[in-house]
PDB file of all heavy atoms in Angstrom:
ATOM      1  N   TYR E   1     -11.930  25.275  -9.717  1.00  0.00           N
ATOM      2  CA  TYR E   1     -12.140  23.926  -9.174  1.00  0.00           C
ATOM      3  C   TYR E   1     -11.752  22.833 -10.131  1.00  0.00           C
ATOM      4  O   TYR E   1     -11.371  21.793  -9.732  1.00  0.00           O
ATOM      5  CB  TYR E   1     -13.541  23.794  -8.590  1.00  0.00           C
ATOM      6  CG  TYR E   1     -13.671  24.386  -7.247  1.00  0.00           C
ATOM      7  CD1 TYR E   1     -13.895  25.769  -7.085  1.00  0.00           C
ATOM      8  CD2 TYR E   1     -13.459  23.630  -6.094  1.00  0.00           C
ATOM      9  CE1 TYR E   1     -13.990  26.308  -5.743  1.00  0.00           C
ATOM     10  CE2 TYR E   1     -13.579  24.188  -4.814  1.00  0.00           C
ATOM     11  CZ  TYR E   1     -13.789  25.526  -4.638  1.00  0.00           C
ATOM     12  OH  TYR E   1     -13.888  26.084  -3.332  1.00  0.00           O
ATOM     13  N   ASN E   2     -11.968  23.110 -11.440  1.00  0.00           N
ATOM     14  CA  ASN E   2     -11.497  22.097 -12.452  1.00  0.00           C
ATOM     15  C   ASN E   2      -9.979  21.989 -12.363  1.00  0.00           C
ATOM     16  O   ASN E   2      -9.454  20.906 -12.561  1.00  0.00           O
ATOM     17  CB  ASN E   2     -11.954  22.552 -13.832  1.00  0.00           C
ATOM     18  CG  ASN E   2     -13.345  21.993 -14.137  1.00  0.00           C
ATOM     19  OD1 ASN E   2     -13.484  20.929 -14.673  1.00  0.00           O
ATOM     20  ND2 ASN E   2     -14.401  22.779 -13.827  1.00  0.00           N
ATOM     21  N   ALA E   3      -9.345  23.091 -12.098  1.00  0.00           N
ATOM     22  CA  ALA E   3      -7.860  23.110 -11.986  1.00  0.00           C
ATOM     23  C   ALA E   3      -7.446  22.285 -10.733  1.00  0.00           C
ATOM     24  O   ALA E   3      -6.418  21.563 -10.810  1.00  0.00           O
ATOM     25  CB  ALA E   3      -7.217  24.463 -11.996  1.00  0.00           C
ATOM     26  N   LEU E   4      -8.189  22.441  -9.651  1.00  0.00           N
ATOM     27  CA  LEU E   4      -7.887  21.639  -8.460  1.00  0.00           C
ATOM     28  C   LEU E   4      -8.101  20.168  -8.729  1.00  0.00           C
ATOM     29  O   LEU E   4      -7.283  19.366  -8.257  1.00  0.00           O
ATOM     30  CB  LEU E   4      -8.800  22.192  -7.331  1.00  0.00           C
ATOM     31  CG  LEU E   4      -8.514  23.547  -6.734  1.00  0.00           C
ATOM     32  CD1 LEU E   4      -9.597  23.933  -5.750  1.00  0.00           C
ATOM     33  CD2 LEU E   4      -7.139  23.574  -6.071  1.00  0.00           C
ATOM     34  N   TYR E   5      -9.148  19.814  -9.453  1.00  0.00           N
ATOM     35  CA  TYR E   5      -9.495  18.447  -9.761  1.00  0.00           C
ATOM     36  C   TYR E   5      -8.343  17.844 -10.578  1.00  0.00           C
ATOM     37  O   TYR E   5      -7.888  16.700 -10.348  1.00  0.00           O
ATOM     38  CB  TYR E   5     -10.773  18.400 -10.494  1.00  0.00           C
ATOM     39  CG  TYR E   5     -11.515  17.064 -10.535  1.00  0.00           C
ATOM     40  CD1 TYR E   5     -12.203  16.527  -9.501  1.00  0.00           C
ATOM     41  CD2 TYR E   5     -11.433  16.261 -11.702  1.00  0.00           C
ATOM     42  CE1 TYR E   5     -12.913  15.326  -9.545  1.00  0.00           C
ATOM     43  CE2 TYR E   5     -12.040  15.030 -11.830  1.00  0.00           C
ATOM     44  CZ  TYR E   5     -12.759  14.625 -10.723  1.00  0.00           C
ATOM     45  OH  TYR E   5     -13.396  13.447 -10.780  1.00  0.00           O
ATOM     46  N   ASP E   6      -7.894  18.600 -11.584  1.00  0.00           N
ATOM     47  CA  ASP E   6      -6.836  18.176 -12.514  1.00  0.00           C
ATOM     48  C   ASP E   6      -5.612  17.979 -11.664  1.00  0.00           C
ATOM     49  O   ASP E   6      -4.803  17.029 -11.871  1.00  0.00           O
ATOM     50  CB  ASP E   6      -6.631  19.253 -13.555  1.00  0.00           C
ATOM     51  CG  ASP E   6      -5.834  18.748 -14.707  1.00  0.00           C
ATOM     52  OD1 ASP E   6      -6.413  18.197 -15.619  1.00  0.00           O
ATOM     53  OD2 ASP E   6      -4.569  18.897 -14.632  1.00  0.00           O
ATOM     54  N   LYS E   7      -5.286  18.919 -10.710  1.00  0.00           N
ATOM     55  CA  LYS E   7      -4.033  18.808  -9.919  1.00  0.00           C
ATOM     56  C   LYS E   7      -4.039  17.564  -9.035  1.00  0.00           C
ATOM     57  O   LYS E   7      -3.029  16.851  -8.949  1.00  0.00           O
ATOM     58  CB  LYS E   7      -4.029  20.045  -8.998  1.00  0.00           C
ATOM     59  CG  LYS E   7      -2.838  20.083  -8.094  1.00  0.00           C
ATOM     60  CD  LYS E   7      -2.829  21.279  -7.145  1.00  0.00           C
ATOM     61  CE  LYS E   7      -1.686  21.250  -6.208  1.00  0.00           C
ATOM     62  NZ  LYS E   7      -1.693  22.524  -5.325  1.00  0.00           N
ATOM     63  N   ALA E   8      -5.254  17.210  -8.486  1.00  0.00           N
ATOM     64  CA  ALA E   8      -5.356  16.011  -7.680  1.00  0.00           C
ATOM     65  C   ALA E   8      -4.969  14.751  -8.536  1.00  0.00           C
ATOM     66  O   ALA E   8      -4.213  13.896  -8.027  1.00  0.00           O
ATOM     67  CB  ALA E   8      -6.745  15.854  -7.134  1.00  0.00           C
ATOM     68  N   TRP E   9      -5.554  14.632  -9.691  1.00  0.00           N
ATOM     69  CA  TRP E   9      -5.306  13.510 -10.534  1.00  0.00           C
ATOM     70  C   TRP E   9      -3.876  13.427 -11.020  1.00  0.00           C
ATOM     71  O   TRP E   9      -3.219  12.370 -11.162  1.00  0.00           O
ATOM     72  CB  TRP E   9      -6.279  13.466 -11.703  1.00  0.00           C
ATOM     73  CG  TRP E   9      -7.647  12.931 -11.365  1.00  0.00           C
ATOM     74  CD1 TRP E   9      -8.705  13.717 -11.047  1.00  0.00           C
ATOM     75  CD2 TRP E   9      -8.064  11.602 -11.340  1.00  0.00           C
ATOM     76  NE1 TRP E   9      -9.799  12.876 -10.785  1.00  0.00           N
ATOM     77  CE2 TRP E   9      -9.450  11.601 -10.954  1.00  0.00           C
ATOM     78  CE3 TRP E   9      -7.454  10.364 -11.623  1.00  0.00           C
ATOM     79  CZ2 TRP E   9     -10.138  10.363 -10.812  1.00  0.00           C
ATOM     80  CZ3 TRP E   9      -8.106   9.184 -11.454  1.00  0.00           C
ATOM     81  CH2 TRP E   9      -9.453   9.148 -11.080  1.00  0.00           C
ATOM     82  N   LEU E  10      -3.306  14.623 -11.325  1.00  0.00           N
ATOM     83  CA  LEU E  10      -1.915  14.682 -11.866  1.00  0.00           C
ATOM     84  C   LEU E  10      -0.964  14.124 -10.877  1.00  0.00           C
ATOM     85  O   LEU E  10       0.127  13.614 -11.198  1.00  0.00           O
ATOM     86  CB  LEU E  10      -1.642  16.140 -12.206  1.00  0.00           C
ATOM     87  CG  LEU E  10      -0.466  16.308 -13.162  1.00  0.00           C
ATOM     88  CD1 LEU E  10      -0.663  15.550 -14.457  1.00  0.00           C
ATOM     89  CD2 LEU E  10      -0.246  17.839 -13.431  1.00  0.00           C
ATOM     90  N   SER E  11      -1.350  14.171  -9.603  1.00  0.00           N
ATOM     91  CA  SER E  11      -0.346  13.711  -8.536  1.00  0.00           C
ATOM     92  C   SER E  11      -0.212  12.220  -8.587  1.00  0.00           C
ATOM     93  O   SER E  11       0.772  11.652  -8.050  1.00  0.00           O
ATOM     94  CB  SER E  11      -0.876  14.093  -7.159  1.00  0.00           C
ATOM     95  OG  SER E  11      -2.100  13.434  -6.815  1.00  0.00           O
ATOM     96  N   ILE E  12      -1.060  11.466  -9.264  1.00  0.00           N
ATOM     97  CA  ILE E  12      -0.956   9.971  -9.332  1.00  0.00           C
ATOM     98  C   ILE E  12      -0.856   9.516 -10.798  1.00  0.00           C
ATOM     99  O   ILE E  12      -0.970   8.318 -11.108  1.00  0.00           O
ATOM    100  CB  ILE E  12      -2.117   9.257  -8.619  1.00  0.00           C
ATOM    101  CG1 ILE E  12      -3.517   9.639  -9.303  1.00  0.00           C
ATOM    102  CG2 ILE E  12      -2.118   9.522  -7.132  1.00  0.00           C
ATOM    103  CD1 ILE E  12      -4.669   8.731  -8.813  1.00  0.00           C
ATOM    104  N   ALA E  13      -0.603  10.419 -11.721  1.00  0.00           N
ATOM    105  CA  ALA E  13      -0.578  10.081 -13.169  1.00  0.00           C
ATOM    106  C   ALA E  13       0.313   8.971 -13.534  1.00  0.00           C
ATOM    107  O   ALA E  13       0.003   8.013 -14.170  1.00  0.00           O
ATOM    108  CB  ALA E  13      -0.267  11.323 -13.953  1.00  0.00           C
ATOM    109  N   LYS E  14       1.575   9.062 -13.101  1.00  0.00           N
ATOM    110  CA  LYS E  14       2.583   8.026 -13.387  1.00  0.00           C
ATOM    111  C   LYS E  14       2.227   6.753 -12.698  1.00  0.00           C
ATOM    112  O   LYS E  14       2.422   5.675 -13.294  1.00  0.00           O
ATOM    113  CB  LYS E  14       3.971   8.414 -13.000  1.00  0.00           C
ATOM    114  CG  LYS E  14       4.506   9.714 -13.735  1.00  0.00           C
ATOM    115  CD  LYS E  14       4.525   9.425 -15.201  1.00  0.00           C
ATOM    116  CE  LYS E  14       5.081  10.571 -15.977  1.00  0.00           C
ATOM    117  NZ  LYS E  14       5.024  10.365 -17.496  1.00  0.00           N
ATOM    118  N   ASP E  15       1.698   6.813 -11.498  1.00  0.00           N
ATOM    119  CA  ASP E  15       1.211   5.547 -10.834  1.00  0.00           C
ATOM    120  C   ASP E  15       0.142   4.814 -11.602  1.00  0.00           C
ATOM    121  O   ASP E  15       0.086   3.663 -11.738  1.00  0.00           O
ATOM    122  CB  ASP E  15       0.699   5.844  -9.446  1.00  0.00           C
ATOM    123  CG  ASP E  15       1.822   6.395  -8.513  1.00  0.00           C
ATOM    124  OD1 ASP E  15       2.990   6.007  -8.669  1.00  0.00           O
ATOM    125  OD2 ASP E  15       1.476   7.250  -7.689  1.00  0.00           O
ATOM    126  N   LEU E  16      -0.742   5.660 -12.263  1.00  0.00           N
ATOM    127  CA  LEU E  16      -1.860   5.050 -13.051  1.00  0.00           C
ATOM    128  C   LEU E  16      -1.284   4.486 -14.366  1.00  0.00           C
ATOM    129  O   LEU E  16      -1.823   3.440 -14.790  1.00  0.00           O
ATOM    130  CB  LEU E  16      -2.872   6.188 -13.350  1.00  0.00           C
ATOM    131  CG  LEU E  16      -3.697   6.684 -12.180  1.00  0.00           C
ATOM    132  CD1 LEU E  16      -4.586   7.921 -12.664  1.00  0.00           C
ATOM    133  CD2 LEU E  16      -4.550   5.601 -11.552  1.00  0.00           C
ATOM    134  N   ASP E  17      -0.290   5.032 -14.923  1.00  0.00           N
ATOM    135  CA  ASP E  17       0.330   4.509 -16.107  1.00  0.00           C
ATOM    136  C   ASP E  17       0.882   3.003 -15.736  1.00  0.00           C
ATOM    137  O   ASP E  17       0.690   2.113 -16.501  1.00  0.00           O
ATOM    138  CB  ASP E  17       1.536   5.298 -16.594  1.00  0.00           C
ATOM    139  CG  ASP E  17       1.099   6.601 -17.210  1.00  0.00           C
ATOM    140  OD1 ASP E  17      -0.055   6.680 -17.685  1.00  0.00           O
ATOM    141  OD2 ASP E  17       1.914   7.572 -17.314  1.00  0.00           O
ATOM    142  N   GLU E  18       1.541   3.005 -14.613  1.00  0.00           N
ATOM    143  CA  GLU E  18       2.154   1.664 -14.218  1.00  0.00           C
ATOM    144  C   GLU E  18       1.090   0.688 -13.852  1.00  0.00           C
ATOM    145  O   GLU E  18       1.165  -0.465 -14.267  1.00  0.00           O
ATOM    146  CB  GLU E  18       3.042   1.992 -13.022  1.00  0.00           C
ATOM    147  CG  GLU E  18       3.759   0.690 -12.547  1.00  0.00           C
ATOM    148  CD  GLU E  18       4.661   0.927 -11.321  1.00  0.00           C
ATOM    149  OE1 GLU E  18       5.001   2.115 -11.102  1.00  0.00           O
ATOM    150  OE2 GLU E  18       4.971  -0.020 -10.606  1.00  0.00           O
ATOM    151  N   LEU E  19       0.052   1.157 -13.175  1.00  0.00           N
ATOM    152  CA  LEU E  19      -1.029   0.247 -12.754  1.00  0.00           C
ATOM    153  C   LEU E  19      -1.745  -0.308 -13.951  1.00  0.00           C
ATOM    154  O   LEU E  19      -1.992  -1.535 -14.077  1.00  0.00           O
ATOM    155  CB  LEU E  19      -1.997   0.973 -11.848  1.00  0.00           C
ATOM    156  CG  LEU E  19      -3.227   0.156 -11.390  1.00  0.00           C
ATOM    157  CD1 LEU E  19      -2.836  -1.005 -10.502  1.00  0.00           C
ATOM    158  CD2 LEU E  19      -4.206   1.140 -10.670  1.00  0.00           C
ATOM    159  N   PHE E  20      -2.058   0.529 -14.967  1.00  0.00           N
ATOM    160  CA  PHE E  20      -2.791   0.088 -16.104  1.00  0.00           C
ATOM    161  C   PHE E  20      -1.953  -0.846 -16.959  1.00  0.00           C
ATOM    162  O   PHE E  20      -2.454  -1.807 -17.603  1.00  0.00           O
ATOM    163  CB  PHE E  20      -3.347   1.268 -16.927  1.00  0.00           C
ATOM    164  CG  PHE E  20      -4.238   0.859 -18.012  1.00  0.00           C
ATOM    165  CD1 PHE E  20      -5.504   0.308 -17.767  1.00  0.00           C
ATOM    166  CD2 PHE E  20      -3.858   0.921 -19.425  1.00  0.00           C
ATOM    167  CE1 PHE E  20      -6.390  -0.122 -18.734  1.00  0.00           C
ATOM    168  CE2 PHE E  20      -4.743   0.644 -20.352  1.00  0.00           C
ATOM    169  CZ  PHE E  20      -6.000   0.030 -20.063  1.00  0.00           C
ATOM    170  N   ASP E  21      -0.731  -0.591 -17.020  1.00  0.00           N
ATOM    171  CA  ASP E  21       0.227  -1.449 -17.809  1.00  0.00           C
ATOM    172  C   ASP E  21       0.204  -2.883 -17.258  1.00  0.00           C
ATOM    173  O   ASP E  21       0.095  -3.845 -17.996  1.00  0.00           O
ATOM    174  CB  ASP E  21       1.644  -0.951 -17.794  1.00  0.00           C
ATOM    175  CG  ASP E  21       2.508  -1.483 -18.918  1.00  0.00           C
ATOM    176  OD1 ASP E  21       2.129  -1.292 -20.095  1.00  0.00           O
ATOM    177  OD2 ASP E  21       3.467  -2.087 -18.518  1.00  0.00           O
ATOM    178  N   LYS E  22       0.180  -2.999 -15.923  1.00  0.00           N
ATOM    179  CA  LYS E  22       0.108  -4.316 -15.321  1.00  0.00           C
ATOM    180  C   LYS E  22      -1.315  -4.907 -15.563  1.00  0.00           C
ATOM    181  O   LYS E  22      -1.318  -6.146 -15.779  1.00  0.00           O
ATOM    182  CB  LYS E  22       0.332  -4.123 -13.782  1.00  0.00           C
ATOM    183  CG  LYS E  22       1.712  -3.809 -13.391  1.00  0.00           C
ATOM    184  CD  LYS E  22       1.845  -3.591 -11.845  1.00  0.00           C
ATOM    185  CE  LYS E  22       3.195  -3.157 -11.412  1.00  0.00           C
ATOM    186  NZ  LYS E  22       3.333  -2.992  -9.982  1.00  0.00           N
ATOM    187  N   LEU E  23      -2.330  -4.136 -15.577  1.00  0.00           N
ATOM    188  CA  LEU E  23      -3.697  -4.654 -15.762  1.00  0.00           C
ATOM    189  C   LEU E  23      -3.821  -5.231 -17.172  1.00  0.00           C
ATOM    190  O   LEU E  23      -4.372  -6.296 -17.409  1.00  0.00           O
ATOM    191  CB  LEU E  23      -4.765  -3.617 -15.569  1.00  0.00           C
ATOM    192  CG  LEU E  23      -5.097  -3.345 -14.101  1.00  0.00           C
ATOM    193  CD1 LEU E  23      -5.865  -2.017 -13.982  1.00  0.00           C
ATOM    194  CD2 LEU E  23      -5.872  -4.507 -13.467  1.00  0.00           C
ATOM    195  N   VAL E  24      -3.290  -4.496 -18.158  1.00  0.00           N
ATOM    196  CA  VAL E  24      -3.349  -4.987 -19.558  1.00  0.00           C
ATOM    197  C   VAL E  24      -2.654  -6.279 -19.736  1.00  0.00           C
ATOM    198  O   VAL E  24      -3.148  -7.200 -20.317  1.00  0.00           O
ATOM    199  CB  VAL E  24      -2.812  -3.851 -20.546  1.00  0.00           C
ATOM    200  CG1 VAL E  24      -2.629  -4.512 -21.921  1.00  0.00           C
ATOM    201  CG2 VAL E  24      -3.630  -2.642 -20.567  1.00  0.00           C
ATOM    202  N   LYS E  25      -1.448  -6.400 -19.134  1.00  0.00           N
ATOM    203  CA  LYS E  25      -0.731  -7.564 -19.299  1.00  0.00           C
ATOM    204  C   LYS E  25      -1.324  -8.823 -18.648  1.00  0.00           C
ATOM    205  O   LYS E  25      -1.407  -9.923 -19.221  1.00  0.00           O
ATOM    206  CB  LYS E  25       0.686  -7.393 -18.801  1.00  0.00           C
ATOM    207  CG  LYS E  25       1.539  -6.492 -19.684  1.00  0.00           C
ATOM    208  CD  LYS E  25       2.911  -6.147 -19.143  1.00  0.00           C
ATOM    209  CE  LYS E  25       3.764  -5.499 -20.174  1.00  0.00           C
ATOM    210  NZ  LYS E  25       3.225  -4.262 -20.748  1.00  0.00           N
ATOM    211  N   VAL E  26      -1.840  -8.657 -17.442  1.00  0.00           N
ATOM    212  CA  VAL E  26      -2.480  -9.800 -16.763  1.00  0.00           C
ATOM    213  C   VAL E  26      -3.790 -10.198 -17.455  1.00  0.00           C
ATOM    214  O   VAL E  26      -4.155 -11.350 -17.556  1.00  0.00           O
ATOM    215  CB  VAL E  26      -2.668  -9.536 -15.251  1.00  0.00           C
ATOM    216  CG1 VAL E  26      -3.759  -8.411 -15.038  1.00  0.00           C
ATOM    217  CG2 VAL E  26      -3.036 -10.831 -14.531  1.00  0.00           C
ATOM    218  N   ARG E  27      -4.517  -9.198 -17.946  1.00  0.00           N
ATOM    219  CA  ARG E  27      -5.807  -9.505 -18.660  1.00  0.00           C
ATOM    220  C   ARG E  27      -5.479 -10.159 -19.996  1.00  0.00           C
ATOM    221  O   ARG E  27      -6.301 -11.108 -20.378  1.00  0.00           O
ATOM    222  CB  ARG E  27      -6.569  -8.241 -18.851  1.00  0.00           C
ATOM    223  CG  ARG E  27      -7.205  -7.691 -17.602  1.00  0.00           C
ATOM    224  CD  ARG E  27      -7.736  -6.230 -17.693  1.00  0.00           C
ATOM    225  NE  ARG E  27      -8.415  -5.817 -16.461  1.00  0.00           N
ATOM    226  CZ  ARG E  27      -8.692  -4.603 -16.166  1.00  0.00           C
ATOM    227  NH1 ARG E  27      -8.466  -3.636 -17.052  1.00  0.00           N
ATOM    228  NH2 ARG E  27      -9.289  -4.360 -15.045  1.00  0.00           N
ATOM    229  N   HIS E  28      -4.465  -9.835 -20.611  1.00  0.00           N
ATOM    230  CA  HIS E  28      -4.080 -10.506 -21.858  1.00  0.00           C
ATOM    231  C   HIS E  28      -3.708 -11.972 -21.575  1.00  0.00           C
ATOM    232  O   HIS E  28      -4.073 -12.949 -22.339  1.00  0.00           O
ATOM    233  CB  HIS E  28      -2.902  -9.848 -22.530  1.00  0.00           C
ATOM    234  CG  HIS E  28      -2.555 -10.371 -23.880  1.00  0.00           C
ATOM    235  ND1 HIS E  28      -3.406 -10.374 -24.938  1.00  0.00           N
ATOM    236  CD2 HIS E  28      -1.408 -10.986 -24.300  1.00  0.00           C
ATOM    237  CE1 HIS E  28      -2.847 -10.941 -25.980  1.00  0.00           C
ATOM    238  NE2 HIS E  28      -1.556 -11.319 -25.628  1.00  0.00           N
ATOM    239  N   GLU E  29      -2.985 -12.188 -20.464  1.00  0.00           N
ATOM    240  CA  GLU E  29      -2.570 -13.542 -20.066  1.00  0.00           C
ATOM    241  C   GLU E  29      -3.827 -14.409 -19.732  1.00  0.00           C
ATOM    242  O   GLU E  29      -3.950 -15.519 -20.093  1.00  0.00           O
ATOM    243  CB  GLU E  29      -1.621 -13.503 -18.917  1.00  0.00           C
ATOM    244  CG  GLU E  29      -1.018 -14.911 -18.631  1.00  0.00           C
ATOM    245  CD  GLU E  29       0.042 -14.769 -17.492  1.00  0.00           C
ATOM    246  OE1 GLU E  29       0.378 -13.686 -17.046  1.00  0.00           O
ATOM    247  OE2 GLU E  29       0.485 -15.912 -17.028  1.00  0.00           O
ATOM    248  N   ILE E  30      -4.757 -13.811 -19.106  1.00  0.00           N
ATOM    249  CA  ILE E  30      -6.049 -14.475 -18.741  1.00  0.00           C
ATOM    250  C   ILE E  30      -6.778 -14.909 -20.038  1.00  0.00           C
ATOM    251  O   ILE E  30      -7.250 -16.042 -20.177  1.00  0.00           O
ATOM    252  CB  ILE E  30      -6.976 -13.574 -17.929  1.00  0.00           C
ATOM    253  CG1 ILE E  30      -6.425 -13.491 -16.468  1.00  0.00           C
ATOM    254  CG2 ILE E  30      -8.350 -14.119 -17.920  1.00  0.00           C
ATOM    255  CD1 ILE E  30      -7.197 -12.428 -15.681  1.00  0.00           C
ATOM    256  N   ALA E  31      -6.838 -14.004 -21.061  1.00  0.00           N
ATOM    257  CA  ALA E  31      -7.505 -14.333 -22.328  1.00  0.00           C
ATOM    258  C   ALA E  31      -6.790 -15.472 -23.041  1.00  0.00           C
ATOM    259  O   ALA E  31      -7.439 -16.396 -23.538  1.00  0.00           O
ATOM    260  CB  ALA E  31      -7.485 -13.109 -23.234  1.00  0.00           C
ATOM    261  N   LEU E  32      -5.492 -15.474 -23.060  1.00  0.00           N
ATOM    262  CA  LEU E  32      -4.733 -16.507 -23.740  1.00  0.00           C
ATOM    263  C   LEU E  32      -4.931 -17.869 -23.034  1.00  0.00           C
ATOM    264  O   LEU E  32      -5.124 -18.910 -23.746  1.00  0.00           O
ATOM    265  CB  LEU E  32      -3.228 -16.144 -23.820  1.00  0.00           C
ATOM    266  CG  LEU E  32      -2.848 -14.956 -24.696  1.00  0.00           C
ATOM    267  CD1 LEU E  32      -1.299 -14.746 -24.585  1.00  0.00           C
ATOM    268  CD2 LEU E  32      -3.333 -15.095 -26.077  1.00  0.00           C
ATOM    269  N   LYS E  33      -4.881 -17.900 -21.705  1.00  0.00           N
ATOM    270  CA  LYS E  33      -5.053 -19.116 -21.011  1.00  0.00           C
ATOM    271  C   LYS E  33      -6.443 -19.704 -21.050  1.00  0.00           C
ATOM    272  O   LYS E  33      -6.624 -20.910 -20.755  1.00  0.00           O
ATOM    273  CB  LYS E  33      -4.658 -18.936 -19.526  1.00  0.00           C
ATOM    274  CG  LYS E  33      -3.102 -18.831 -19.356  1.00  0.00           C
ATOM    275  CD  LYS E  33      -2.760 -19.149 -17.864  1.00  0.00           C
ATOM    276  CE  LYS E  33      -1.283 -19.327 -17.777  1.00  0.00           C
ATOM    277  NZ  LYS E  33      -0.814 -19.763 -16.408  1.00  0.00           N
TER     278      LYS E  33
END
């Protein structure tokens, strides 16, 4: 079941990379402003 859990998350791994990259950039802009 840990392998199943890992498999579920792995299906969106690249999407999470992209999402967090956007979050970091917008949060940095908020801080600067």
Side-chain angles (χ1 to χ4, degrees):
Y1 278 85
N2 272 270
L4 290 172
Y5 197 81
D6 195 89
K7 179 182 177 182
W9 281 95
L10 200 57
S11 69
I12 59 169
K14 294 301 180 183
D15 296 327
L16 293 176
D17 287 340
E18 182 181 342
L19 177 63
F20 189 67
D21 199 58
K22 291 178 181 178
L23 281 167
V24 169
K25 287 177 170 54
V26 70
R27 286 167 178 166
H28 185 63
E29 189 176 355
I30 287 172
L32 295 179
K33 284 202 170 186

